[in-house]
Amino acid sequence: RVDAPALRHRYALHKARIAAENWGVADERLLFHGTRANPPGTIVDDQVGFDMRFSQEGLWGRGTYFAEDAAYSHHYAHRVGGG
């Protein structure tokens, strides 16, 4: 897990705003993302988070893809040391 306190704080603010607009429910989901060749830390280094400028073409077009099943994202996981 890579943690970025500034991004986590921004997330909490957005989550609270969404909950306030939806009768106290933010409908949060746990999703997984594989970073392929990029080390996961690069996602949080610039404090932007998931940046569409670094997205590649996928099955449904250019975008940032997430999965509900960690096993699916595992196929796109960053490998350390080529393994």
Side-chain angles (χ1 to χ4, degrees):
R1 172 178 156 168
V2 176
D3 193 29
L7 288 176
R8 185 168 291 284
H9 177 72
R10 282 181 37 206
Y11 173 79
L13 292 174
H14 286 291
K15 181 180 172 183
R17 180 185 52 81
I18 290 168
E21 294 172 357
N22 292 284
W23 302 281
V25 179
D27 196 24
E28 186 174 32
R29 308 278 172 104
L30 180 61
L31 301 174
F32 300 90
H33 175 76
T35 63
R36 291 194 180 174
N38 300 317
T42 60
I43 294 171
V44 296
D45 283 347
D46 62 5
Q47 300 302 308
V48 173
F50 290 94
D51 191 335
M52 288 290 295
R53 293 177 297 171
F54 301 110
S55 296
Q56 297 178 358
E57 197 72 26
L59 180 63
W60 304 104
R62 185 176 177 176
T64 305
Y65 291 81
F66 297 87
E68 292 179 336
D69 184 358
Y72 185 84
S73 292
H74 179 72
H75 296 290
Y76 300 94
H78 174 70
R79 303 286 188 242
V80 177

